[in-house]
Amino acid sequence: MLKEIKAAEMDCEKFIAEQVREIRAAVGDGTAINALSGGVDSSTVTMLGHRALGRRLRTVFVENGLMRRNEARRVRDLFGALGVEVEVVDARDDFFSALTGVTDPEQKREAITQTFYKKVFGRIVRESGARHLLQGTILTDVDETVAGIKRQHNVFAQLGIDPQAAFGYAILEPLVQLRKDGVRKLGRALGLSEELFARIPFPGPALAARVIGEATPERVETVRAATEVVEEALAGTPAFQYLAILHEDRVTGMRDNQRQFGQQVEVRCWDSVDARTATPTRLSFDVLERIAAGILKRVPGVVSVTYNIAPKPPSTIEAV
Ligand code: XMP
């Protein structure tokens, strides 16, 4: 059983010193790799890892083709400003070939997990000679996975999977006793900018979690464009999270006096404290109309926009 360290009780400087010591002890005089997605958890673990290992930690952003627009550049700039060099690895082909023909939600998640850890990181680790992957798994990821609610992509040991045997490297998880509030406190102590904490949550399987059915490059691009509209419209609002989902079913619409059997986008916006339960935000109809107009104008092929009004549970925040 992992022992939780509560945010209110955590002494950040002491925690950092302890984790730095442990990371150094594990890595010895070797090198480690760290996967940075730009989220709060992986950003915090990046700063912690650099505190411990300096340039012996290589920080990699995997361009999986499933991220939001301009994400690689944003992450590289943000960390460049903090003195951390981020290497962008283009793995789009690996992910899209693993996702070809996959429609089942859990299989989709599994395909992404395997591609990420086995194929892409397996290759990076082999080429670099590193023995360790440093990642920002937190206690909530472990809890939800063990409870069978949702298999988080970054949980292995607690499921009886040995990363060394399965992927050929060890995984270090210095944040695994913390919850989100603890990670935020730690990230601030490590010098991360407020811009990073202001961002809404984003799932590990990225936009593939928002495409119902097959996640092809074209369908992911559709949901990426719709996401951009939703994020622009709702940025700065107090909602917990907002997103767009691409449905699999088509519906009849019309464009330029022509019948178009087009695509459907569902918009979701959530009020929540910890993502365990959530209710749809009571957005004004004006805001909803603005979002719909933006999507219909900027996202090709879409003829229908709906707003989700079902709470979690029984819904979940993401669609896959
Ligand atoms: P659900 O869809 O389970 O989402 O209601 C709860 C919260 O978790 C995020 N989410 C994930 N985060 N890996 C992550 O790191 C994942 O596989 C994953 N799936 C969902 C989701 O965005 C929401 O904030």
Side-chain angles (χ1 to χ4, degrees):
M1 264 293 273
L2 289 163
K3 190 174 173 312
E4 177 174 352
I5 301 175
K6 293 216 188 307
E9 292 157 13
M10 179 172 56
D11 174 341
C12 285
E13 288 313 314
K14 192 165 149 247
F15 182 87
I16 293 168
E18 270 169 26
Q19 294 304 326
V20 161
R21 212 175 315 124
E22 285 191 22
I23 294 168
R24 285 182 184 157
V27 176
D29 55 10
T31 55
I33 302 277
N34 128 258
L36 171 63
S37 69
V40 172
D41 305 342
S42 74
S43 296
T44 300
V45 92
T46 297
M47 297 309 287
L48 190 58
H50 275 269
R51 209 38 104 86
L53 302 173
R55 296 194 70 85
R56 288 192 296 127
L57 179 67
R58 262 177 73 192
T59 294
V60 171
F61 177 94
V62 175
E63 175 51 89
N64 55 15
L66 307 172
M67 304 303 274
R68 287 174 282 189
R69 184 121 33 239
N70 297 329
E71 195 65 5
R73 198 176 63 212
R74 196 191 69 83
V75 171
R76 206 164 46 187
D77 291 351
L78 205 66
F79 279 83
L82 293 167
V84 175
E85 193 184 321
V86 179
E87 200 180 318
V88 177
V89 173
D90 184 358
R92 285 175 293 184
D93 290 348
D94 292 314
F95 283 90
F96 283 119
S97 55
L99 287 167
T100 302
V102 183
T103 54
D104 175 78
E106 289 303 318
Q107 281 178 16
K108 212 144 72 178
R109 285 173 168 263
E110 186 60 16
I112 292 170
T113 300
Q114 290 298 327
T115 305
F116 189 83
Y117 288 97
K118 203 162 188 165
K119 192 143 191 220
V120 177
F121 268 97
R123 188 165 64 218
I124 296 171
V125 164
R126 264 196 316 281
E127 286 169 5
S128 69
R131 294 263 174 279
H132 295 86
L133 178 73
L134 193 65
Q135 73 172 9
T137 318
I138 67 169
L139 193 51
T140 313
D141 298 337
V142 175
D143 285 350
E144 288 193 357
T145 301
V146 172
I149 294 167
K150 190 167 277 189
R151 163 85 155 87
Q152 298 286 344
H153 67 291
N154 54 4
V155 174
F156 301 104
Q158 293 78 10
L159 292 177
I161 300 169
D162 173 8
Q164 187 71 57
F167 312 125
Y169 51 82
I171 296 184
L172 302 177
E173 299 173 322
L175 310 183
V176 78
Q177 288 171 278
L178 308 182
R179 303 233 181 240
K180 210 71 177 187
D181 49 352
V183 179
R184 287 171 181 272
K185 185 172 163 182
L186 184 65
R188 289 196 169 94
L190 285 160
L192 288 175
S193 71
E194 284 305 313
E195 179 191 334
L196 207 134
F197 299 107
R199 286 196 113 195
I200 54 173
F202 191 71
L207 297 175
R210 299 175 180 176
V211 171
I212 300 173
E214 190 179 358
T216 63
E218 297 72 29
R219 302 192 74 221
V220 171
E221 179 51 37
T222 300
V223 93
R224 179 181 292 122
T227 301
E228 201 174 15
V229 173
V230 172
E231 290 192 351
E232 281 172 20
L234 298 176
T237 68
F240 177 81
Q241 198 169 352
Y242 31 85
L243 51 131
I245 289 160
L246 176 63
H247 280 252
E248 198 168 20
D249 289 348
R250 289 180 176 256
V251 288
T252 297
M254 50 192 289
R255 259 218 170 84
D256 306 324
N257 282 328
Q258 298 265 321
R259 179 188 138 91
Q260 186 181 20
F261 198 44
Q263 309 207 73
Q264 304 189 67
V265 166
E266 176 188 331
V267 175
R268 294 183 177 187
C269 180
W270 298 104
D271 292 337
S272 177
V273 174
D274 58 10
R276 285 190 243 199
T277 60
T279 47
T281 306
R282 292 192 163 208
L283 294 176
S284 78
F285 219 86
D286 285 348
V287 170
L288 290 170
E289 279 180 341
R290 244 192 329 272
I291 292 172
I295 291 173
L296 294 172
K297 183 163 170 226
R298 287 164 52 186
V299 191
V302 175
V303 297
S304 164
V305 179
T306 57
Y307 184 62
N308 168 64
I309 51 171
K312 170 183 178 174
S315 182
T316 57
I317 287 178
E318 307 289 345
V320 165

